[in-house]
Amino acid sequence: MKAKILALAVIAGVLLLINSMASASAGSNVLYSETNLGNELWQYDYTINNTSTTGEYLFNVWFDFSQTATVTGLPLPEGWMGATVWEGTNTTTYLDPVSIDPSYDLAAGNSLSGFSFIIDYQAGNIPFTAYFDDHAGNISEITGTTVAGPEPISSILFLSGGLALSVRSYLKRKRQTA
């Protein structure tokens, strides 16, 4: 009887270990803020989020424009460069910042801002391709579309409204119990 219980416990333990060994999964989302600079110029400021499981490092992102555009790239974060001309003005259909060394790759669960450029049309949500490396020689990629991030003032108004409702509810409950 004890041998059967021990065998079942070992089998259950092995099954749990096998099920918990999920392979790494690459994932990313890219948030942006958009500023109308006038004269048909728009500035986009991006924050790249590595939403991968542990062990996936984001090292390259391609921003694909729907048309040829005149783009002026602003300085990139430390450790990143444009594989095409990023800093300065060029006419292109894409931009592709890449980390210059694996130590600058964006680890799973982290984000990095400072990917900014000025473009000659309102691009809005644009497709992107993110490339990942597990630092063991395996490369993977995902595609997605950039998403507008909340404006700071909108977030402040939302939070202050929630706080006001909470205080009102608290005071109402306090008056009812008194």
Side-chain angles (χ1 to χ4, degrees):
M1 180 72 169
K2 287 184 182 182
K4 286 182 181 181
I5 293 174
L6 181 60
L8 286 174
V10 169
I11 291 171
V14 168
L15 289 174
L16 284 173
L17 285 175
I18 290 172
N19 288 335
S20 67
M21 293 194 306
S23 60
S25 175
S28 179
N29 66 40
V30 180
L31 302 175
Y32 71 87
S33 66
E34 171 184 77
T35 306
N36 183 348
L37 301 175
N39 297 324
E40 298 180 23
L41 293 175
W42 296 83
Q43 180 170 331
Y44 287 86
D45 302 300
Y46 289 90
T47 299
I48 299 172
N49 301 292
N50 183 349
T51 59
S52 302
T53 56
T54 302
E56 292 290 327
Y57 298 86
L58 190 146
F59 70 93
N60 183 228
V61 178
W62 282 65
F63 296 100
D64 298 310
F65 307 127
S66 62
Q67 64 192 48
T68 301
T70 301
V71 180
T72 303
L74 303 174
L76 287 165
E78 181 181 358
W80 287 73
M81 63 176 239
T84 59
V85 175
W86 180 282
E87 292 185 39
T89 301
N90 64 59
T91 302
T92 186
T93 57
Y94 65 91
L95 285 175
D96 55 344
V98 61
S99 70
I100 60 173
D101 182 270
S103 64
Y104 291 105
D105 292 355
L106 188 57
N110 289 308
S111 62
L112 185 62
S113 59
F115 299 88
S116 302
F117 57 83
I118 297 170
I119 190 167
D120 63 351
Y121 73 97
Q122 186 176 10
N125 298 342
I126 60 173
F128 71 88
T129 304
Y131 295 89
F132 301 85
D133 184 353
D134 65 359
H135 291 177
N138 300 308
I139 306 293
S140 59
E141 68 181 72
I142 61 109
T143 58
T145 303
T146 62
V147 178
E151 298 174 36
I153 192 67
S154 299
S155 298
I156 291 169
L157 289 172
F158 178 76
L159 291 174
S160 62
L163 179 63
L165 289 173
S166 298
V167 168
R168 181 178 173 199
S169 175
Y170 170 77
L171 292 173
K172 185 177 179 181
R173 271 185 276 140
K174 189 175 178 181
R175 273 187 249 129
Q176 287 176 350
T177 58

